[in-house]
Amino acid sequence: MDTDNHPPIKPQKIGVLLLNLGTPDATDYFSVRRYLSEFLSDKRVIDYPQWLWQPLLQGIILTTRPFRSGAAYKSIWDEKTNESPLLVYTRSISEKLQKAVKHSGKDKLDDNIIIEYAMRYGNPSTEKGLKSLIDQGCTKILLFALYPQYSAVTTATAYDKAFDYLKTIPRQPAIRTAPAWHDNENYIDVLAESIQEKLDELDQPPERILTSFHGLPIRYLKQGDPYHCFCVKTSRLVREKLGWPEDKWITTFQSRFGPEKWLQPYTDETIEKLAEEGIKRIAIASPAFVCECIETLEEIAMEARDEFLEAGGEEYTYIPCLNDRDSHIDFLSQRIRQELQGWI
Protein backbone atom coordinates (compact mmCIF):
# COMPACT_ATOMS: atom_id res chain seq x y z
CA MET A 1 0.00 0.00 0.00
CA ASP A 2 1.31 3.42 -0.97
CA THR A 3 1.77 5.55 2.15
CA ASP A 4 3.91 8.27 0.64
CA ASN A 5 0.99 10.70 0.65
CA HIS A 6 -0.15 9.91 4.19
CA PRO A 7 -1.06 13.16 5.97
CA PRO A 8 1.42 14.16 8.70
CA ILE A 9 0.55 13.12 12.24
CA LYS A 10 0.77 15.98 14.70
CA PRO A 11 1.64 15.66 18.42
CA GLN A 12 -1.50 14.74 20.32
CA LYS A 13 -3.13 17.56 22.25
CA ILE A 14 -6.26 18.08 24.35
CA GLY A 15 -8.87 20.59 23.26
CA VAL A 16 -11.52 22.50 25.19
CA LEU A 17 -14.30 24.13 23.17
CA LEU A 18 -16.26 26.79 25.05
CA LEU A 19 -19.76 27.04 23.61
CA ASN A 20 -21.93 30.13 23.99
CA LEU A 21 -25.29 31.08 22.49
CA GLY A 22 -24.27 33.38 19.65
CA THR A 23 -24.69 36.84 18.18
CA PRO A 24 -25.32 38.57 14.87
CA ASP A 25 -22.21 39.64 12.97
CA ALA A 26 -23.56 43.20 12.83
CA THR A 27 -26.68 45.21 13.65
CA ASP A 28 -28.02 45.66 10.11
CA TYR A 29 -31.25 44.03 8.97
CA PHE A 30 -29.75 41.14 7.01
CA SER A 31 -27.15 40.21 9.66
CA VAL A 32 -29.80 40.11 12.34
CA ARG A 33 -32.20 38.22 10.08
CA ARG A 34 -29.59 35.50 9.36
CA TYR A 35 -28.90 35.10 13.05
CA LEU A 36 -32.56 34.99 14.08
CA SER A 37 -33.39 32.55 11.30
CA GLU A 38 -30.77 30.10 12.54
CA PHE A 39 -31.68 30.59 16.18
CA LEU A 40 -35.45 30.33 15.76
CA SER A 41 -35.16 27.38 13.36
CA ASP A 42 -33.58 25.24 16.07
CA LYS A 43 -36.14 22.57 16.90
CA ARG A 44 -35.01 22.49 20.52
CA VAL A 45 -35.78 26.20 20.85
CA ILE A 46 -39.06 26.21 18.93
CA ASP A 47 -40.55 22.73 18.78
CA TYR A 48 -43.63 23.51 16.73
CA PRO A 49 -44.17 21.39 13.57
CA GLN A 50 -41.91 22.82 10.88
CA TRP A 51 -44.67 22.91 8.27
CA LEU A 52 -46.49 25.32 10.57
CA TRP A 53 -43.57 27.25 12.04
CA GLN A 54 -41.27 27.90 9.07
CA PRO A 55 -43.77 29.81 6.89
CA LEU A 56 -44.61 31.99 9.88
CA LEU A 57 -40.95 32.48 10.78
CA GLN A 58 -39.65 33.17 7.29
CA GLY A 59 -42.61 35.37 6.50
CA ILE A 60 -44.06 37.67 9.13
CA ILE A 61 -41.51 37.25 11.93
CA LEU A 62 -38.29 37.63 9.96
CA THR A 63 -39.75 40.46 7.92
CA THR A 64 -40.36 42.67 10.95
CA ARG A 65 -38.40 41.45 13.96
CA PRO A 66 -34.86 42.11 12.61
CA PHE A 67 -35.59 45.85 12.63
CA ARG A 68 -36.57 45.82 16.32
CA SER A 69 -33.82 43.40 17.35
CA GLY A 70 -31.24 45.30 15.30
CA ALA A 71 -32.06 48.52 17.15
CA ALA A 72 -31.71 46.69 20.45
CA TYR A 73 -28.33 45.26 19.46
CA LYS A 74 -27.18 48.69 18.28
CA SER A 75 -27.94 50.15 21.73
CA ILE A 76 -25.46 47.77 23.40
CA TRP A 77 -22.95 47.21 20.57
CA ASP A 78 -19.28 47.55 21.50
CA GLU A 79 -18.10 50.55 19.46
CA LYS A 80 -14.43 49.88 20.13
CA THR A 81 -14.39 46.40 18.60
CA ASN A 82 -17.55 46.73 16.49
CA GLU A 83 -18.82 43.49 18.02
CA SER A 84 -21.49 42.40 20.46
CA PRO A 85 -20.55 42.32 24.16
CA LEU A 86 -21.28 38.58 24.22
CA LEU A 87 -18.59 37.96 21.60
CA VAL A 88 -16.13 40.34 23.28
CA TYR A 89 -16.52 38.72 26.70
CA THR A 90 -16.60 35.14 25.41
CA ARG A 91 -13.32 35.71 23.60
CA SER A 92 -11.80 37.32 26.69
CA ILE A 93 -12.93 34.41 28.87
CA SER A 94 -11.36 31.98 26.39
CA GLU A 95 -8.06 33.85 26.30
CA LYS A 96 -7.84 34.20 30.07
CA LEU A 97 -8.75 30.55 30.58
CA GLN A 98 -5.98 29.51 28.20
CA LYS A 99 -3.48 31.30 30.43
CA ALA A 100 -5.09 30.08 33.65
CA VAL A 101 -5.22 26.42 32.65
CA LYS A 102 -1.59 26.41 31.53
CA HIS A 103 -0.35 27.98 34.75
CA SER A 104 -2.64 26.36 37.30
CA GLY A 105 -0.92 22.97 37.58
CA LYS A 106 2.52 21.41 37.83
CA ASP A 107 1.90 18.86 35.08
CA LYS A 108 3.77 19.70 31.88
CA LEU A 109 0.88 18.19 29.96
CA ASP A 110 -0.98 21.45 30.66
CA ASP A 111 1.03 22.89 27.76
CA ASN A 112 -0.90 20.52 25.50
CA ILE A 113 -4.29 21.98 26.41
CA ILE A 114 -5.78 24.24 23.74
CA ILE A 115 -8.89 26.32 24.47
CA GLU A 116 -11.11 27.69 21.72
CA TYR A 117 -14.57 29.26 21.75
CA ALA A 118 -17.52 28.96 19.40
CA MET A 119 -21.18 29.89 19.11
CA ARG A 120 -24.25 27.70 18.69
CA TYR A 121 -25.69 30.30 16.32
CA GLY A 122 -23.66 32.70 14.19
CA ASN A 123 -19.89 33.09 14.23
CA PRO A 124 -17.42 31.72 15.06
CA SER A 125 -19.36 28.57 14.36
CA THR A 126 -19.17 25.33 16.33
CA GLU A 127 -17.85 23.59 13.23
CA LYS A 128 -15.04 26.14 12.90
CA GLY A 129 -14.10 25.70 16.56
CA LEU A 130 -13.92 21.92 16.28
CA LYS A 131 -11.98 22.06 13.02
CA SER A 132 -9.45 24.40 14.61
CA LEU A 133 -8.86 22.07 17.56
CA ILE A 134 -8.61 18.98 15.37
CA ASP A 135 -6.23 20.73 12.96
CA GLN A 136 -3.99 21.60 15.91
CA GLY A 137 -3.71 17.93 16.81
CA CYS A 138 -6.41 17.57 19.45
CA THR A 139 -7.40 13.91 19.71
CA LYS A 140 -9.42 14.51 22.90
CA ILE A 141 -11.90 17.38 23.17
CA LEU A 142 -14.01 18.63 26.06
CA LEU A 143 -17.20 20.39 25.00
CA PHE A 144 -17.91 23.04 27.62
CA ALA A 145 -21.28 24.79 27.27
CA LEU A 146 -21.27 28.14 29.08
CA TYR A 147 -24.63 27.71 30.82
CA PRO A 148 -24.68 27.36 34.64
CA GLN A 149 -28.25 25.99 34.59
CA TYR A 150 -28.87 23.09 32.19
CA SER A 151 -31.68 23.28 29.67
CA ALA A 152 -32.40 21.38 26.49
CA VAL A 153 -32.70 24.69 24.64
CA THR A 154 -29.20 25.82 25.65
CA THR A 155 -26.79 23.13 26.88
CA ALA A 156 -28.26 20.22 24.91
CA THR A 157 -28.55 22.02 21.60
CA ALA A 158 -24.97 23.29 21.92
CA TYR A 159 -23.75 19.71 22.21
CA ASP A 160 -26.15 18.57 19.46
CA LYS A 161 -24.52 21.02 17.08
CA ALA A 162 -21.05 19.73 17.88
CA PHE A 163 -22.05 16.11 17.29
CA ASP A 164 -23.73 17.08 14.01
CA TYR A 165 -20.31 18.07 12.72
CA LEU A 166 -18.52 15.13 14.29
CA LYS A 167 -20.83 12.77 12.40
CA THR A 168 -19.38 14.04 9.12
CA ILE A 169 -15.65 13.48 9.70
CA PRO A 170 -13.70 10.24 9.16
CA ARG A 171 -11.74 10.32 12.41
CA GLN A 172 -13.52 11.53 15.49
CA PRO A 173 -11.61 12.70 18.55
CA ALA A 174 -12.55 11.34 21.96
CA ILE A 175 -15.32 13.60 23.26
CA ARG A 176 -16.53 14.62 26.70
CA THR A 177 -19.39 16.98 27.51
CA ALA A 178 -19.18 19.11 30.65
CA PRO A 179 -22.24 19.23 32.91
CA ALA A 180 -23.82 22.45 34.15
CA TRP A 181 -22.94 23.85 37.58
CA HIS A 182 -26.06 25.53 39.00
CA ASP A 183 -25.42 24.40 42.58
CA ASN A 184 -21.63 24.19 42.63
CA GLU A 185 -20.42 25.67 45.90
CA ASN A 186 -17.55 27.60 44.33
CA TYR A 187 -19.85 29.04 41.66
CA ILE A 188 -22.30 30.18 44.33
CA ASP A 189 -19.41 31.82 46.20
CA VAL A 190 -18.26 33.73 43.12
CA LEU A 191 -21.80 34.80 42.25
CA ALA A 192 -22.52 35.95 45.80
CA GLU A 193 -19.22 37.82 45.92
CA SER A 194 -20.03 39.73 42.72
CA ILE A 195 -23.49 40.69 44.00
CA GLN A 196 -22.16 41.84 47.37
CA GLU A 197 -19.48 43.95 45.70
CA LYS A 198 -22.15 45.88 43.80
CA LEU A 199 -24.37 46.25 46.86
CA ASP A 200 -21.41 47.65 48.82
CA GLU A 201 -21.20 50.52 46.33
CA LEU A 202 -24.72 51.72 47.18
CA ASP A 203 -25.54 54.40 49.74
CA GLN A 204 -28.55 52.37 50.88
CA PRO A 205 -29.29 48.67 50.45
CA PRO A 206 -32.07 47.77 48.01
CA GLU A 207 -35.46 46.92 49.44
CA ARG A 208 -35.69 43.94 47.12
CA ILE A 209 -33.20 41.87 45.13
CA LEU A 210 -34.33 40.06 41.98
CA THR A 211 -32.53 37.26 40.19
CA SER A 212 -33.82 37.24 36.62
CA PHE A 213 -33.33 34.11 34.54
CA HIS A 214 -34.11 33.63 30.86
CA GLY A 215 -37.64 32.31 30.50
CA LEU A 216 -38.93 29.06 29.03
CA PRO A 217 -42.42 27.89 28.10
CA ILE A 218 -44.00 26.07 31.04
CA ARG A 219 -44.74 23.24 28.62
CA TYR A 220 -41.01 22.46 28.43
CA LEU A 221 -40.86 22.07 32.21
CA LYS A 222 -43.78 19.64 32.11
CA GLN A 223 -41.97 17.66 29.41
CA GLY A 224 -39.03 17.11 31.74
CA ASP A 225 -36.64 20.04 31.23
CA PRO A 226 -35.05 20.67 34.68
CA TYR A 227 -34.09 24.29 33.97
CA HIS A 228 -36.69 25.89 36.25
CA CYS A 229 -35.64 23.80 39.23
CA PHE A 230 -31.98 24.59 38.65
CA CYS A 231 -32.66 28.34 38.43
CA VAL A 232 -34.66 28.35 41.64
CA LYS A 233 -31.94 26.42 43.42
CA THR A 234 -29.18 28.76 42.23
CA SER A 235 -31.20 31.73 43.43
CA ARG A 236 -31.91 30.16 46.82
CA LEU A 237 -28.30 29.18 47.43
CA VAL A 238 -27.04 32.68 46.60
CA ARG A 239 -29.67 34.25 48.85
CA GLU A 240 -28.68 31.97 51.71
CA LYS A 241 -24.98 32.67 51.10
CA LEU A 242 -25.61 36.42 51.33
CA GLY A 243 -27.95 36.05 54.32
CA TRP A 244 -30.89 37.84 52.74
CA PRO A 245 -34.41 37.09 54.05
CA GLU A 246 -36.66 35.11 51.76
CA ASP A 247 -39.34 37.81 51.60
CA LYS A 248 -36.90 40.36 50.14
CA TRP A 249 -35.48 38.10 47.42
CA ILE A 250 -37.46 37.29 44.26
CA THR A 251 -36.68 34.81 41.48
CA THR A 252 -38.16 35.91 38.13
CA PHE A 253 -38.03 34.99 34.43
CA GLN A 254 -37.56 37.25 31.41
CA SER A 255 -37.56 37.29 27.58
CA ARG A 256 -40.86 35.56 26.86
CA PHE A 257 -42.60 35.79 23.50
CA GLY A 258 -45.57 34.21 21.78
CA PRO A 259 -48.97 33.20 23.17
CA GLU A 260 -47.85 30.37 25.48
CA LYS A 261 -47.50 30.64 29.24
CA TRP A 262 -43.86 30.87 30.30
CA LEU A 263 -42.12 30.33 33.62
CA GLN A 264 -43.35 32.80 36.20
CA PRO A 265 -43.23 35.28 37.83
CA TYR A 266 -42.33 37.46 34.87
CA THR A 267 -39.50 39.93 35.46
CA ASP A 268 -41.16 42.94 33.82
CA GLU A 269 -44.49 42.49 35.59
CA THR A 270 -42.75 41.94 38.94
CA ILE A 271 -40.70 45.12 38.58
CA GLU A 272 -43.75 47.23 37.76
CA LYS A 273 -45.73 45.69 40.61
CA LEU A 274 -42.98 46.40 43.14
CA ALA A 275 -42.86 50.06 42.10
CA GLU A 276 -46.65 50.36 42.26
CA GLU A 277 -46.58 48.87 45.77
CA GLY A 278 -44.21 51.59 46.94
CA ILE A 279 -40.86 49.83 46.69
CA LYS A 280 -38.35 52.52 45.75
CA ARG A 281 -35.03 50.65 45.57
CA ILE A 282 -34.34 47.35 43.84
CA ALA A 283 -31.28 45.52 42.54
CA ILE A 284 -31.32 42.84 39.86
CA ALA A 285 -28.86 40.16 38.74
CA SER A 286 -29.00 37.66 35.84
CA PRO A 287 -27.27 34.44 37.00
CA ALA A 288 -28.26 32.43 33.91
CA PHE A 289 -25.84 34.43 31.75
CA VAL A 290 -22.08 34.02 32.16
CA CYS A 291 -21.44 37.28 30.32
CA GLU A 292 -23.24 40.39 29.13
CA CYS A 293 -25.53 40.09 26.14
CA ILE A 294 -28.64 41.69 24.72
CA GLU A 295 -30.84 40.04 27.36
CA THR A 296 -28.84 41.59 30.20
CA LEU A 297 -27.68 44.94 28.86
CA GLU A 298 -30.69 45.99 26.79
CA GLU A 299 -33.55 44.09 28.39
CA ILE A 300 -32.54 44.26 32.07
CA ALA A 301 -30.04 47.12 32.47
CA MET A 302 -31.98 49.50 30.19
CA GLU A 303 -35.56 48.49 29.44
CA ALA A 304 -36.43 47.09 32.88
CA ARG A 305 -34.84 50.12 34.54
CA ASP A 306 -37.06 52.46 32.54
CA GLU A 307 -40.13 50.41 33.45
CA PHE A 308 -39.30 50.56 37.16
CA LEU A 309 -38.68 54.31 37.19
CA GLU A 310 -41.77 55.07 35.11
CA ALA A 311 -43.89 53.02 37.53
CA GLY A 312 -42.68 55.06 40.53
CA GLY A 313 -39.38 53.46 41.54
CA GLU A 314 -36.40 55.65 42.36
CA GLU A 315 -33.19 53.59 42.51
CA TYR A 316 -32.54 50.72 40.11
CA THR A 317 -29.26 48.81 40.35
CA TYR A 318 -28.16 46.39 37.68
CA ILE A 319 -25.63 43.83 38.90
CA PRO A 320 -23.26 42.84 36.06
CA CYS A 321 -22.68 39.26 34.94
CA LEU A 322 -19.55 37.46 36.07
CA ASN A 323 -17.95 38.08 32.67
CA ASP A 324 -14.14 37.74 32.71
CA ARG A 325 -13.55 38.74 36.34
CA ASP A 326 -10.63 36.91 37.92
CA SER A 327 -12.70 34.88 40.40
CA HIS A 328 -14.92 33.64 37.56
CA ILE A 329 -11.90 32.65 35.46
CA ASP A 330 -10.44 30.80 38.45
CA PHE A 331 -13.70 28.91 38.93
CA LEU A 332 -14.05 27.97 35.25
CA SER A 333 -10.40 26.90 35.16
CA GLN A 334 -11.01 24.58 38.10
CA ARG A 335 -14.09 23.16 36.41
CA ILE A 336 -12.16 22.49 33.21
CA ARG A 337 -9.32 20.74 35.01
CA GLN A 338 -11.87 18.67 36.92
CA GLU A 339 -13.57 17.57 33.70
CA LEU A 340 -10.20 16.73 32.14
CA GLN A 341 -9.20 14.33 34.90
CA GLY A 342 -7.87 11.13 33.40
CA TRP A 343 -6.75 13.02 30.30
CA ILE A 344 -4.17 15.21 32.05
Side-chain angles (χ1 to χ4, degrees):
M1 182 174 64
D2 182 13
T3 59
D4 292 341
N5 294 320
H6 191 285
I9 299 176
K10 299 180 179 180
Q12 294 187 7
K13 294 183 179 293
I14 298 169
V16 179
L17 186 61
L18 306 177
L19 298 167
N20 212 337
L21 183 74
T23 172
D25 295 324
T27 61
D28 63 278
Y29 172 85
F30 290 104
S31 295
V32 176
R33 181 184 174 110
R34 283 195 301 272
Y35 172 74
L36 290 178
S37 179
E38 183 180 7
F39 174 45
L40 296 176
S41 293
D42 186 344
K43 295 179 182 179
R44 281 200 184 268
V45 174
I46 306 292
D47 63 354
Y48 299 149
Q50 292 302 295
W51 63 266
L52 174 65
W53 174 242
Q54 281 299 322
L56 180 63
L57 174 63
Q58 301 299 328
I60 298 174
I61 296 175
L62 291 181
T63 298
T64 59
R65 185 162 178 172
F67 291 109
R68 185 171 68 254
S69 295
Y73 275 108
K74 187 174 294 186
S75 70
I76 58 103
W77 209 248
D78 189 306
E79 296 182 358
K80 183 178 180 180
T81 63
N82 194 29
E83 297 169 326
S84 74
L86 182 142
L87 178 57
V88 172
Y89 278 116
T90 302
R91 179 172 57 240
S92 179
I93 289 171
S94 176
E95 292 172 350
K96 289 187 175 184
L97 277 175
Q98 181 70 80
K99 294 179 181 179
V101 169
K102 281 195 173 185
H103 294 91
S104 61
K106 298 179 181 179
D107 195 331
K108 292 183 179 179
L109 288 177
D110 291 352
D111 292 335
N112 290 328
I113 299 174
I114 300 174
I115 296 181
E116 297 275 8
Y117 68 94
M119 303 296 174
R120 171 60 181 86
Y121 316 103
N123 296 304
S125 68
T126 301
E127 177 178 337
K128 181 179 179 180
L130 285 168
K131 279 184 175 179
S132 175
L133 291 174
I134 294 171
D135 289 345
Q136 293 178 77
C138 294
T139 57
K140 300 174 182 177
I141 296 176
L142 170 67
L143 303 176
F144 196 99
L146 291 171
Y147 305 108
Q149 297 82 21
Y150 172 92
S151 174
V153 305
T154 52
T155 310
T157 190
Y159 295 154
D160 286 348
K161 190 68 172 179
F163 282 107
D164 284 345
Y165 169 68
L166 292 169
K167 287 187 294 186
T168 69
I169 60 177
R171 181 181 178 181
Q172 291 183 344
I175 295 292
R176 289 180 179 176
T177 58
W181 57 90
H182 69 283
D183 59 354
N184 180 279
E185 184 176 358
N186 293 332
Y187 163 66
I188 298 300
D189 287 344
V190 174
L191 194 55
E193 173 191 77
S194 72
I195 293 174
Q196 189 61 56
E197 283 183 5
K198 189 64 178 180
L199 297 181
D200 289 343
E201 297 175 3
L202 305 178
D203 294 332
Q204 299 182 74
E207 298 170 84
R208 299 288 187 276
I209 291 182
L210 282 70
T211 51
S212 179
F213 296 83
H214 199 289
L216 198 70
I218 291 178
R219 175 169 54 86
Y220 289 26
L221 169 65
K222 295 180 178 179
Q223 291 172 349
D225 194 305
Y227 176 73
H228 174 266
C229 302
F230 291 166
C231 292
V232 172
K233 188 172 185 180
T234 295
S235 185
R236 175 179 62 81
L237 291 174
V238 174
R239 176 183 63 79
E240 292 174 350
K241 184 70 179 180
L242 291 172
W244 272 71
E246 190 172 354
D247 61 347
K248 293 186 177 181
W249 190 283
I250 308 171
T251 303
T252 63
F253 296 88
Q254 64 184 84
S255 308
R256 69 189 186 279
F257 68 91
E260 288 190 84
K261 287 186 178 181
W262 283 46
L263 299 177
Q264 299 180 30
Y266 299 137
T267 300
D268 54 355
E269 292 182 357
T270 300
I271 286 173
E272 291 184 17
K273 183 179 179 182
L274 288 173
E276 292 169 356
E277 291 175 348
I279 298 297
K280 300 300 182 182
R281 303 186 308 277
I282 67 171
I284 185 166
S286 299
F289 304 94
V290 298
C291 60
E292 307 296 356
C293 55
I294 192 170
E295 287 85 0
T296 62
L297 293 178
E298 194 275 337
E299 187 175 353
I300 298 299
M302 297 180 185
E303 187 175 326
R305 177 183 181 275
D306 292 343
E307 292 173 354
F308 180 67
L309 298 180
E310 289 173 4
E314 296 179 357
E315 294 183 23
Y316 181 93
T317 301
Y318 170 66
I319 301 170
C321 297
L322 295 177
N323 297 316
D324 58 354
R325 60 185 287 138
D326 290 344
S327 58
H328 190 212
I329 298 300
D330 289 344
F331 165 71
L332 292 175
S333 175
Q334 293 170 9
R335 289 286 298 175
I336 288 172
R337 291 185 64 82
Q338 179 182 359
E339 294 304 322
L340 292 179
Q341 288 183 11
W343 282 359
I344 59 173

